[in-house]
Amino acid sequence: MTENIFIEQLRRGERNACQRLVNDYGYGVFQMVRRIVVQQEDAEEVYQDVFVKALQGIGSYDSKKASLATWINRIAYHEALNFVRRRHPNIVYMDEKDMNLGNIDETREEDIHDSQTIEALEKALEKLPPHEQAIVTMFYYDDMSLADIAYVTGSIPSTVGSQLCRIRKKLYQIIKTTHL
């Protein structure tokens, strides 16, 4: 079955197509949501909301703008962020200005292979705001292109590239300040 036929079946609300959507994209959607929404039960709730929204909004899906997977990831990203913002409106985020990131060089490649550095990096990643964690994981763990991440986040590729650069510097500073 071609993707166009599959999309039409989804638009008609055919049960088998809806089940296939969850089967084919469920794991990736849950991974996206779980990276942003920490509690398992909350992540499951958001996961369900993502598919409800996807099925309700399938009429607006445009394959010329993004793949179906990227489109669903966009919904998952925004649903998860909105959930976190509603539940935790007073989260305080570290600002780049507070961290003096201007004078930091990129991390050397050989440093990445050190297991202690990897562990420190994972802990530092947990200290980032959810949207920054999502950008890092989409790029490094999911191997998404800057264009796909831009679509998911509602941004442009050059902005995503700049965000990644700032986030890497922020991660470096977090590691540096917690391991002195």
Side-chain angles (χ1 to χ4, degrees), residues 105-121 172 175:
D105 292 329
E106 292 292 322
T107 306
R108 296 177 310 165
E109 174 116 8
E110 58 268 16
D111 290 342
I112 296 297
H113 300 293
D114 178 34
S115 64
Q116 289 177 333
T117 304
I118 292 171
E119 185 178 322
L121 183 61
Y172 176 78
I175 292 169

Side-chain angles (χ1 to χ4, degrees), residues 96 101 159 161-171:
E96 291 92 20
L101 298 178
T159 300
S162 296
Q163 288 173 329
L164 278 168
C165 183
R166 283 194 308 275
I167 293 167
R168 283 193 296 267
K169 289 178 180 182
K170 188 185 283 191
L171 286 169

